[in-house]
Amino acid sequence: MSEEITRGERTRQSILLAAHDLFIQQGYHGTSMRQIAREASVALGGLYNHFDSKEQVFEAVFFEFHPYHEVLPSMQAARGETLESYVRNALDRILSALQQRPNFMNLMFIEIVEFKSAHVNQLFSQLVPYEIEIIHQVQQDNQDCLRPIPPLMLLRAFFGLIFSYYLTEIVFSTQAPPEFREDALEYMVDIFLYGVSREPPCELSKR
Amino acid sequence: MSEEITRGERTRQSILLAAHDLFIQQGYHGTSMRQIAREASVALGGLYNHFDSKEQVFEAVFFEFHPYHEVLPSMQAARGETLESYVRNALDRILSALQQRPNFMNLMFIEIVEFKSAHVNQLFSQLVPYEIEIIHQVQQDNQDCLRPIPPLMLLRAFFGLIFSYYLTEIVFSTQAPPEFREDALEYMVDIFLYGVSREPPCELSKR
DNA sequence: CCTACCGATCGGTAGG
DNA sequence: CCTACCGATCGGTAGG
């Protein structure tokens, strides 16, 4: 019985999927409970059998659909003989996971504007120990390649790289000349790698 | 007469100020025209004498209160004998200008979520020629210090640095341990500087 | 006594 | 620039 999905659980999932898409497309206040119910093929009243309020719907969407479910395993699974190959491998995994969810960042922006980052702060404090462990491992594996940067700073800079790529992509790229987009990720990763690396003896691949 | 501020202009300004604060605090859909009217001490009907729609109010707030009004002059006014001193000087000016506007980034997030970046793309295409000119000058002044990076990529990386600092500050910092915040900007600027610099002959100040 | 859901409607408020 | 008001829709809840 435990592996069967109950009827109620299926309904809950279809509500969350509908809410996820609508929030991303229309924002939080811009999406009504009625729209969510309609998209999930559930009556409005039935929606309140699963969630007490609109805010609870957003919370569930945020936590259960947050890309950290893919990002953390990506960082743990990434391998590489050098710092450079590790970083490129990890980023490849993370970005291809994120590309499955176009505009996922909108959930983060809604969270910041509408909920003053309450949920994301909560999420972050749960995840930071795991992240630190990964960073520590990377630092140990690349002692003579990394400049001395505190682990938390390295973590922040790594996420900052992802954020900065996405935000500049969103904000600048639509009307930007092609030079601005071509190889942009490559250049930004390069700047990050040169930025955290010692040299010599740590050689980065030339470009 | 031209230096006098008309009564209508004063009303318009108080509407924009009220709207700016409310949008930042409550989001776009979360803010009503009635709230804006009340905060601006204007009747709801009177508000529509100045703006045809809520969207027009947001557009005016976005363009007239956007920090680019301070950021572009900051980048033009910044000076420095070395690349490092120029970047630090420019960032100091930009960040202290931005700190006058707590949560200004919320306007950007609203713009991305609610308007699919339409206004910011428009703004960016207007500003990019001026930005490029500045970057070109910086590249010429620091030829033997900068790695070969296309001007637009350098511009993107520079704005990416500002974005990544702000986003990680918002998202991570509230519940993060103190090591995460102390000198965070310094570390991130360092990583950027090492990231774009050649060496030798370009020495950065040690830390 | 449960989970899941219905059609109808509540008191207030939205942009215009 | 205001009072008065519109069609519609909001988030949430009623009894069954």
Side-chain angles (χ1 to χ4, degrees):
Chain A
M1 283 305 250
S2 62
E3 29 180 302
E4 281 187 38
I5 298 162
T6 63
R7 191 155 149 65
E9 187 52 35
R10 244 186 290 129
T11 306
R12 189 188 135 91
Q13 280 302 316
S14 73
I15 292 170
L16 289 183
L17 259 168
H20 172 269
D21 293 351
L22 287 167
F23 285 147
I24 279 183
Q25 286 162 28
Q26 311 180 342
Y28 179 76
H29 285 291
T31 297
S32 70
M33 291 294 265
R34 279 168 177 78
Q35 283 180 308
I36 296 170
R38 198 187 314 129
E39 287 297 309
S41 303
V42 170
L44 178 65
L47 204 158
Y48 284 93
N49 280 59
H50 293 271
F51 301 97
D52 287 341
S53 66
K54 190 179 176 182
E55 186 164 336
Q56 276 197 11
V57 176
F58 182 83
E59 276 179 29
V61 168
F62 187 78
F63 287 119
E64 297 179 30
F65 286 70
H66 195 283
Y68 87 86
H69 287 111
E70 288 93 47
V71 169
L72 195 59
S74 294
M75 288 176 70
Q76 282 164 338
R79 294 287 177 270
E81 296 192 358
T82 63
L83 175 69
E84 178 176 4
S85 61
Y86 173 82
V87 169
R88 290 196 194 279
N89 186 227
L91 273 176
D92 273 356
R93 287 166 186 261
I94 291 173
L95 292 179
S96 71
L98 294 184
Q99 272 155 15
Q100 315 280 350
R101 298 262 190 89
N103 300 325
F104 81 96
M105 270 281 190
N106 286 13
L107 284 184
M108 200 79 104
F109 301 148
I110 292 171
E111 157 68 10
I112 293 171
V113 174
E114 309 286 348
F115 298 99
K116 307 194 188 315
S117 312
H119 307 120
V120 78
N121 285 327
Q122 184 185 331
L123 189 62
F124 178 68
S125 15
Q126 285 169 24
L127 294 180
V128 82
Y130 302 100
E131 302 285 5
I132 291 281
E133 203 179 319
I134 298 169
I135 298 286
H136 248 113
Q137 192 60 50
V138 172
Q139 286 186 310
Q140 277 185 10
D141 293 347
N142 300 280
Q143 277 179 29
D144 40 56
C145 189
L146 277 167
R147 290 196 298 116
I149 299 170
L152 277 162
M153 286 301 151
L154 209 51
L155 178 61
R156 181 163 173 168
F158 183 75
F159 279 118
L161 169 63
I162 298 172
F163 286 153
S164 71
Y165 173 70
Y166 259 87
L167 258 185
T168 53
E169 185 74 11
I170 290 169
V171 165
F172 293 168
S173 68
T174 312
Q175 300 197 13
E179 318 93 88
F180 209 72
R181 306 198 63 185
E182 280 163 20
D183 300 324
L185 181 62
E186 285 298 310
Y187 275 105
M188 294 176 87
V189 174
D190 271 11
I191 291 173
F192 173 78
L193 284 169
Y194 275 92
V196 299
S197 297
R198 250 190 251 273
E199 60 180 325
C202 178
E203 288 289 325
L204 297 175
S205 59
K206 305 275 180 268
R207 47 181 304 144
Chain B
M1 284 304 253
S2 62
E3 27 180 306
E4 281 186 39
I5 299 161
T6 63
R7 191 155 148 63
E9 187 51 35
R10 244 186 290 131
T11 305
R12 191 189 135 92
Q13 280 302 314
S14 72
I15 292 169
L16 289 183
L17 259 168
H20 173 269
D21 293 351
L22 287 166
F23 285 146
I24 278 184
Q25 286 162 29
Q26 312 181 342
Y28 179 75
H29 286 292
T31 297
S32 70
M33 291 295 264
R34 280 169 175 78
Q35 284 179 307
I36 296 170
R38 198 187 315 129
E39 287 296 308
S41 303
V42 169
L44 179 65
L47 204 158
Y48 283 92
N49 279 62
H50 292 272
F51 301 96
D52 288 340
S53 66
K54 191 178 176 183
E55 186 164 337
Q56 276 197 12
V57 176
F58 181 83
E59 275 180 30
V61 168
F62 187 79
F63 287 118
E64 298 180 30
F65 286 69
H66 195 284
Y68 88 86
H69 287 110
E70 288 93 46
V71 168
L72 195 60
S74 294
M75 288 177 71
Q76 283 164 335
R79 293 287 177 270
E81 295 192 358
T82 63
L83 175 69
E84 179 176 4
S85 61
Y86 172 82
V87 169
R88 290 196 193 279
N89 186 227
L91 273 175
D92 273 355
R93 288 166 186 261
I94 291 172
L95 291 180
S96 70
L98 294 184
Q99 272 154 15
Q100 315 278 351
R101 298 263 188 89
N103 300 325
F104 83 95
M105 270 279 191
N106 285 13
L107 285 183
M108 201 81 103
F109 300 148
I110 292 171
E111 156 68 10
I112 293 171
V113 174
E114 310 286 350
F115 298 99
K116 308 196 187 311
S117 313
H119 306 120
V120 79
N121 285 328
Q122 185 186 329
L123 190 60
F124 178 68
S125 17
Q126 285 168 23
L127 294 180
V128 82
Y130 302 101
E131 302 285 4
I132 291 282
E133 203 179 320
I134 298 169
I135 297 287
H136 247 113
Q137 191 61 49
V138 171
Q139 286 187 310
Q140 278 186 9
D141 293 346
N142 300 280
Q143 277 178 28
D144 41 54
C145 189
L146 277 167
R147 291 196 296 117
I149 299 170
L152 277 163
M153 287 299 153
L154 209 51
L155 178 62
R156 180 163 172 169
F158 182 75
F159 280 118
L161 170 63
I162 298 174
F163 287 153
S164 71
Y165 173 71
Y166 259 86
L167 257 187
T168 53
E169 185 74 12
I170 291 170
V171 166
F172 294 167
S173 69
T174 312
Q175 299 197 16
E179 317 94 87
F180 209 74
R181 307 197 63 185
E182 281 162 21
D183 301 324
L185 180 61
E186 285 299 310
Y187 276 105
M188 294 176 86
V189 175
D190 270 13
I191 292 172
F192 174 79
L193 284 169
Y194 276 92
V196 299
S197 297
R198 245 192 254 273
E199 61 180 326
C202 179
E203 288 289 325
L204 297 175
S205 59
K206 304 276 181 264
R207 47 181 305 144

